[in-house]
Amino acid sequence: MAAPRIPSALTYELLAKCSVTKARAATLHLPHGPVPLPIFMPVATQASLKGLTPEQLEETGCRLCLNNTYHLGLKPGQATLDAVGGAHKLQAWPHNILTDSGGFQMVSLLELAKVTEEGVRFLSPHDGTPMLLTPEHSISLQNSIGSDIMMQLDDVIATTSPDIARITEAMHRSIRWLDRCIKANKNPEKQNLFCIIQGGLDLDLRRECTREMVDRDTPGIAIGGLSGGEDKASYCKVVDTCTGLLPEKKPRYVMGVGYPEDLVVSVALGADMFDCVWPTRTARFGNAITARGVLNLRNAKYVDDFGPVEEGCQCMSCRSREEGGLGITRAYINHTTAKETVGAHVLTIHNVYYQLNLMKRAREAIIEDQYPAFVKEFFANLYDDKS
Ligand code: GUN
Ligand code: ZN
């Protein structure tokens, strides 16, 4: 028996499908405005993209960023979120926000987190008091945050775990927790709850989980438990298997994916949304993402390189003064990323822009039914002689 329809606060407008791969171009209409798909979502863990003002993030073209329930629930905490009227107001961000539910962050950040049927038990990193994050509490926090897309609390196991019994248990528990999250959502007309498919690298478990979750009819669907060190072939098989069973008219989000080559391949496998801390984190180490691969601008060879981070890039940092940009050079970043923070900020702008622009170009290619040629050119540039 099909579950009763739950309310949705989004519309998925399919614009084009690739005639060769499973790539799709769409516009996702969310409460805080339209978002082009496919999309990369930068991660603003603490309601800020480290070093960037909301205005600078907006200027990169970003219209949907990520916050973490776990971090915002601890600080500023639910009372402050309620008082200010949610995370959009807290961070002066007029566009869309997606919140991860918190369980994944806890299990990956805290060694002492323990998962039971009730929820995730952990010790507060502030004062060590025992705490419990249940599906109901995660949704209550996400309702206070007011995110446009909320994620269910899920039971996440490392993809490389050999413990198939535990992976199976986690998959079934994630389905039960989805039901609890759906019941707990006080704001389904304004906040979209996405399910998260689990099941490790076992394709039968993934199929079973996908069918169960599709039955619950959430406005969007995520594929979780990946990007944890599994080989690329296994990763692709899981994404391909899941997208093959998903309804066409709903957004599909692969969690924790952010390398440009993974985005390009995952789009071909029918995925629409991605997030990862890597592009912003790696900027703080002086790494620039470019079409020719990642360049470490701390390297001595950039000391007197007065070109932009990437020739032809239209981001605020790379554009010249005449073009209305900052005219930042590789030499400046080489000089500033080690001790000063400004080099990291301008490089963060470039890296976020690069990721968003890559997905924008992918979308255009899909609309023109040129996605296979786009993929070919992308990999030809990436593996071209870098000298
Ligand atoms: N971030 C990356 N992978 C996951 C996952 O499987 N679940 C959740 N909640 N967040 C993630
Ligand atoms: Zn740039």
Side-chain angles (χ1 to χ4, degrees), residues 118-139:
E118 249 182 310
V120 186
R121 282 186 188 284
F122 63 106
L123 301 177
S124 161
H126 293 313
D127 56 12
T129 47
M131 300 179 72
L132 171 69
L133 185 72
T134 61
E136 292 77 13
H137 188 217
S138 174
I139 294 300

Side-chain angles (χ1 to χ4, degrees), residues 100-101 104 154 156 196 198 224-225 255-256:
D100 199 357
S101 49
F104 175 79
D154 53 344
V156 191
I196 307 176
Q198 295 292 345
M255 307 187 81

Side-chain angles (χ1 to χ4, degrees), residues 158-160 201 225-232 234-235:
T159 40
T160 48
L201 301 178
L226 291 173
S227 213
E230 71 280 355
D231 62 278
K232 299 272 184 210
S234 305
Y235 167 86

Side-chain angles (χ1 to χ4, degrees), residues 81-93:
L81 286 164
D82 285 336
V84 72
H88 294 85
K89 294 226 172 89
L90 178 73
Q91 63 205 302
W93 177 247

Side-chain angles (χ1 to χ4, degrees), residues 36-228:
L37 300 184
I39 191 86
F40 174 78
M41 304 176 284
V43 184
T45 302
Q46 309 271 11
S48 116
L49 214 72
K50 287 188 179 63
L52 266 57
T53 64
E55 201 178 14
Q56 286 172 318
L57 181 58
E58 183 176 43
E59 207 279 334
T60 65
C62 176
R63 294 295 177 269
L64 171 57
C65 74
L66 230 89
N67 284 176
N68 282 318
T69 304
Y70 165 71
H71 295 89
L72 295 186
L74 285 172
K75 207 165 93 54
Q78 191 159 21
T80 304
L81 286 164
D82 285 336
V84 72
H88 294 85
K89 294 226 172 89
L90 178 73
Q91 63 205 302
W93 177 247
H95 307 295
N96 297 288
I97 295 173
L98 180 152
T99 38
D100 199 357
S101 49
F104 175 79
Q105 284 72 31
M106 239 178 282
V107 175
S108 62
L109 297 176
L110 306 174
E111 274 171 34
L112 293 174
K114 198 170 169 293
V115 181
T116 68
E117 189 60 25
E118 249 182 310
V120 186
R121 282 186 188 284
F122 63 106
L123 301 177
S124 161
H126 293 313
D127 56 12
T129 47
M131 300 179 72
L132 171 69
L133 185 72
T134 61
E136 292 77 13
H137 188 217
S138 174
I139 294 300
S140 167
L141 285 169
Q142 294 185 75
N143 281 153
S144 292
I145 289 169
S147 42
D148 302 276
I149 299 177
M150 308 189 289
M151 301 308 299
Q152 75 156 109
L153 190 70
D154 53 344
D155 187 0
V156 191
I157 306 299
T159 40
T160 48
S161 166
D163 189 349
I164 192 72
R166 179 68 188 95
I167 292 169
T168 308
E169 179 192 44
M171 184 277 269
H172 287 294
R173 178 171 290 146
S174 295
I175 299 169
R176 292 191 293 274
W177 282 3
L178 172 62
D179 287 331
R180 286 168 60 184
C181 287
I182 291 171
K183 274 206 193 99
N185 184 8
K186 291 197 196 77
N187 211 2
E189 280 86 15
K190 292 213 178 107
Q191 293 183 266
N192 297 288
L193 174 64
F194 281 25
C195 63
I196 307 176
I197 302 167
Q198 295 292 345
L201 301 178
D202 187 295
L203 299 183
D204 283 331
L205 287 183
R206 287 282 178 174
R207 283 188 198 99
E208 185 182 348
C209 191
T210 305
R211 278 193 277 271
E212 287 288 338
M213 285 184 166
V214 166
D215 251 10
R216 268 73 177 175
D217 197 27
T218 53
I221 294 132
I223 304 172
L226 291 173
S227 213

